Amino acid sequence: MFGICNLSIVPLRLTASDTSEMVNQVLFGEHFTILEKHKKWSKIKLFFDGYEGFIDNKQYKEIPEESYQLLSDSKQYYAGELIDFITDNKNNLTTIPLGAHLPLFKDKKLQIGERIFTYEGNVCYTKLSKPSIIETAYLFLNTPYLWGGKSPFGIDCSGFTQTVYKLCGHHLLRDAREQATQGEVLSFIEESEPGDLAFFDNDEGHITHVGIIMNDYNIIHAHGKVRIDKLDHSGIYNVDTQQHTHKLRVIKRFI
């Protein structure tokens, strides 16, 4: 069984309950495999990054395998506006956030099941250079931190880096510890360029945080909100509290 998200931003939960922890979000247009289907909840696996979790059965639409394969094999297009809307042929409005998927997009049209929608906003679909990563990251500045979030209304550290890279045509996994398995290791901060990623660990040595390196040893990351702080050999130096908040583990290059 297969499905697609037909609502703007849907929570993906750890277990099959409305009170369960939100571990991720499913944005409009994302398609997935249905691993298990129960009366009220389904366990799904997202196509984009293989992330698994539980979604409310009322918050997605089932699609046939042929549609899933077509979506998987097609070029990926993403909404490039902070917030916008799409309309169907009856002028019903659906809001979509920055980073929403635009399935089978062509000539300002996209398709969810049998429904055809019109979208007239900016579209992201090509691989962009490192300067574009920084420009895109700025779009999320001051977005509140939200565990499991990946939209301009709430985002976590790895949701931020994944979404920024996605909008620039590059693929990152979902969690910071997974993203840290990708890319090329750099030996020193001095080797880094704007657009590279810095990863940070906790006292147990587990990677728990990630941010995007900017010019002049600055870093943009989600901590309380998407913010800009200083980066040094120790880690992140919070410009407001004048204290180090994260311990540097590794710097990686992806582009």
Side-chain angles (χ1 to χ4, degrees):
M1 295 186 292
F2 305 91
I4 190 168
C5 182
N6 57 350
L7 299 174
S8 57
I9 307 168
V10 172
L12 192 65
R13 300 197 179 274
L14 183 63
T15 62
S17 170
D18 284 316
T19 60
S20 176
E21 173 188 355
M22 184 180 77
V23 293
N24 199 1
Q25 290 177 326
V26 188
L27 302 186
F28 179 90
E30 287 198 76
H31 63 292
F32 46 82
T33 302
I34 301 171
L35 303 175
E36 305 171 10
K37 185 166 185 180
H38 306 285
K39 183 178 180 181
K40 296 182 178 180
W41 295 85
S42 293
K43 185 176 184 181
I44 67 169
K45 181 176 182 179
L46 295 176
F47 168 77
F48 183 77
D49 56 18
Y51 209 93
E52 296 183 11
F54 286 87
I55 187 173
D56 189 317
N57 290 343
K58 301 184 295 296
Q59 296 185 314
Y60 74 87
K61 177 180 177 59
E62 282 195 36
I63 57 175
E65 183 175 2
E66 311 88 77
S67 297
Y68 177 89
Q69 291 300 332
L70 179 60
L71 291 168
S72 301
D73 295 338
S74 299
K75 185 176 180 60
Q76 302 299 303
Y77 295 85
Y78 309 109
E81 307 288 351
L82 274 176
I83 184 69
D84 210 326
F85 62 88
I86 56 175
T87 57
D88 63 14
N89 57 4
K90 296 181 180 179
N91 286 323
N92 294 312
L93 299 181
T94 300
T95 56
I96 58 172
L98 180 65
H101 293 228
L102 305 174
L104 307 179
F105 187 77
K106 185 178 181 181
D107 298 329
K108 298 185 179 181
K109 304 292 184 182
L110 59 117
Q111 186 171 348
I112 297 280
E114 300 302 317
R115 295 180 71 189
I116 305 296
F117 297 88
T118 300
Y119 172 73
E120 297 185 346
N122 186 40
V123 179
C124 301
Y125 59 93
T126 57
K127 286 188 182 296
L128 301 177
S129 61
K130 279 187 172 179
S132 297
I133 290 176
I134 302 302
E135 292 172 12
T136 303
Y138 270 115
L139 295 174
F140 290 90
L141 197 62
N142 292 317
T143 295
Y145 181 89
L146 176 64
W147 179 266
K150 60 178 188 182
S151 85
F153 301 101
I155 204 162
D156 63 22
C157 66
S158 56
F160 169 61
T161 52
Q162 185 194 52
T163 302
V164 168
Y165 265 64
K166 179 182 78 172
L167 290 168
C168 294
H170 304 280
H171 189 277
L172 289 180
L173 297 174
R174 178 58 177 89
D175 290 337
R177 66 179 182 276
E178 297 173 328
Q179 294 176 8
T181 66
Q182 302 175 261
E184 170 194 354
V185 174
L186 301 181
S187 300
F188 305 101
I189 292 179
E190 290 78 10
E191 296 179 359
S192 67
E193 301 172 350
D196 291 336
L197 297 187
F199 295 88
F200 307 85
D201 60 14
N202 59 17
D203 292 339
E204 288 75 41
H206 302 303
I207 289 176
T208 57
H209 193 68
V210 60
I212 301 173
I213 295 174
M214 307 174 71
N215 283 311
D216 301 321
Y217 301 109
N218 289 318
I219 185 168
I220 184 168
H221 64 128
H223 182 60
K225 62 180 180 179
V226 176
R227 54 179 293 126
I228 297 172
D229 286 308
K230 291 294 184 181
L231 178 67
D232 59 31
H233 292 282
S234 296
I236 294 176
Y237 185 76
N238 187 296
V239 296
D240 295 325
T241 64
Q242 303 289 293
Q243 294 179 336
H244 281 93
T245 57
H246 298 83
K247 180 163 62 75
L248 181 63
R249 172 68 172 273
V250 66
I251 296 172
K252 287 208 160 183
R253 176 163 298 160
F254 296 79
I255 302 172

